Amino acid sequence: MARIASIAPVLPPHSYPQSDITATLAPLLTADPRRRAVIERVHAGTGIATRHTALPLDAYASLTSFADANDAFLREGLALAGTACRAALAGAGLAPADVDFVLFTSITGIGAPSLDALLVEHLGLRNDVRRIPVFGLGCVAGAAGIARVRDYLQGHPHDVALLVSVELCSLTLQRGDDSMANVVSSGLFGDGAAAAVMVGSARAQDVGGVDVVDSRSALYPDTAGMLGWDIGGSGFRIVLAASLADVVERHLGPDVVDLLAAHGLKVSDVDTWVAHAGGPRILEAAARSLDVPEGAFAASWESLSRVGNLSSASVLHVLADRLRDGGAVPGSAGVVFAFGPGVSAEAVLLRWPEEVA
């Protein structure tokens, strides 16, 4: 067992209505007025009201190379990660020197040294802190990150860990690409970051939060070409198949049922759902697959409307909202789930502790 003691979601300061983002980005994707009409229709259909961007909206027209975009990722990403980590540690009553392990994830920028290495000096972490930077898990990494940090803490019950996600999706915009995948991507993904403090069982009694009980990982066959990046000279070009929602609907239910059954639980026993806000079709497919009551994913729908799909940071933002609400019944179960390239999935079983820390 491990415990999530605190989560700090953060967003860049630049926030815009979806319609303003569309008006700015559509001319960068195409000069064809008919295709612009398609972009406007697709963006409006996402159900997103506002999104945050790493840079001021008028800066994207001059962001013409992968090098420039990645430089912005490292600069802005470090600042956001630092803000999230400081807030999460303060929320858990801990200091940077208390951290023993850092798992950092992003799929929207790269660096060597990676951002987690830069965070050591930026935050004042110990120079013997263990670090694992992760690239490639994509949207699933928020849920998978919780699960993998739990795995680490199982063997290090006295340790403190930081899970850090930075996703600056706007910086992956592909100019001159009006393919449907890029049109959907440019209207769906937002920028954000999050940090979660997790502690091993020996320290759980010292903090509040929620316990991470178990997890399940899945990699679905014959889906490698359905979701991910085509990486080239222009950076990260989105791969996004229209049939992704069908994969979710076919597989998610059995995976979650298997996870719950191992602990004597059924879908109807889950009080708190933390669904990756992947988009309307993904949330609808997940609801059908699990046969959950209407409103079960309300927090994820609200997050999608307010900030868009934040990739790996999405479930951490939603879970932070659920923890802040404080409405979970002691002893009740929760499930976090997300999807990523592969196509892969991760489901995580949570339980709210009976005792008050």
Side-chain angles (χ1 to χ4, degrees):
M1 188 272 291
R3 180 167 292 181
I4 301 173
S6 175
I7 303 177
V10 298
L11 297 163
H14 314 292
S15 176
Y16 303 97
Q18 177 81 325
S19 57
D20 289 359
I21 296 175
T22 303
T24 300
L25 298 188
L28 303 181
L29 302 186
T30 182
D32 184 343
R34 293 170 298 179
R35 292 298 293 167
R36 289 193 192 181
V38 171
I39 293 170
E40 291 169 359
R41 185 168 64 252
V42 171
H43 284 200
T46 61
I48 296 170
T50 55
R51 284 186 284 162
H52 292 248
T53 57
L55 304 177
L57 201 51
D58 59 8
Y60 287 86
S62 59
L63 202 67
T64 58
S65 73
F66 175 48
D68 288 343
N70 201 65
D71 286 347
F73 170 83
L74 293 172
R75 181 184 67 250
E76 304 298 330
L78 179 61
L80 284 173
T83 298
C85 290
R86 290 187 188 96
L89 287 167
L94 296 167
D98 295 319
V99 177
D100 302 291
F101 176 73
V102 178
L103 191 152
F104 169 75
T105 185
S106 180
I107 200 170
T108 54
I110 55 174
S114 49
L115 279 185
D116 53 291
L118 301 180
L119 279 172
V120 174
E121 183 174 351
H122 186 74
L123 289 175
L125 300 173
R126 302 195 316 266
N127 62 9
D128 67 344
V129 67
R130 296 177 173 94
R131 300 179 294 108
I132 298 181
V134 175
F135 178 89
L137 284 177
C139 297
V140 78
I146 292 172
R148 300 294 79 78
V149 173
R150 171 191 175 268
D151 293 345
Y152 169 84
L153 291 171
Q154 290 282 90
H156 301 83
H158 294 275
D159 279 12
V160 173
L162 267 176
L163 168 62
V164 187
S165 163
V166 175
E167 301 291 10
L168 304 185
C169 305
S170 67
L171 298 176
T172 68
L173 180 72
Q174 297 293 299
R175 297 165 63 97
D177 178 2
D178 65 352
S179 65
M180 187 53 66
N182 196 47
V183 167
V184 171
S185 174
S186 66
L188 181 61
F189 289 94
D191 293 353
V197 174
M198 296 176 60
V199 300
S201 58
R203 302 186 68 140
Q205 69 276 7
D206 300 327
V207 298
V210 62
D211 294 333
V212 184
V213 178
D214 200 358
S215 66
R216 288 290 185 278
S217 303
L219 187 63
Y220 304 133
D222 303 319
T223 61
M226 297 182 66
L227 179 63
W229 294 129
D230 181 5
I231 301 176
S234 63
F236 303 130
R237 188 178 299 274
I238 190 74
V239 175
L240 182 62
S243 56
L244 179 60
D246 298 331
V247 174
V248 170
E249 184 169 356
R250 184 161 61 250
H251 292 288
L252 176 64
D255 288 343
V256 173
V257 166
D258 179 64
L259 170 62
L260 293 173
H263 297 271
L265 298 169
K266 304 183 296 296
V267 168
S268 59
D269 295 320
V270 177
D271 290 346
T272 302
W273 291 97
V274 179
H276 169 55
R281 293 191 64 204
I282 296 299
L283 287 172
E284 290 164 356
R288 288 192 298 270
S289 186
L290 291 164
D291 192 23
V292 292
E294 185 176 354
F297 299 160
S300 298
W301 280 102
E302 194 279 331
S303 180
L304 179 66
S305 173
R306 180 167 45 86
V307 299
N309 178 348
L310 299 180
S311 189
S312 68
S314 171
V315 292
L316 298 176
H317 276 242
V318 176
L319 181 55
D321 289 341
R322 302 309 302 265
L323 292 175
R324 190 164 48 244
D325 291 345
V329 176
S332 65
V335 170
V336 179
F337 65 83
F339 311 97
V343 171
S344 58
E346 192 84 22
V348 181
L349 177 62
L350 308 177
R351 191 175 294 279
W352 268 259
E354 297 278 4
E355 79 280 1
V356 177

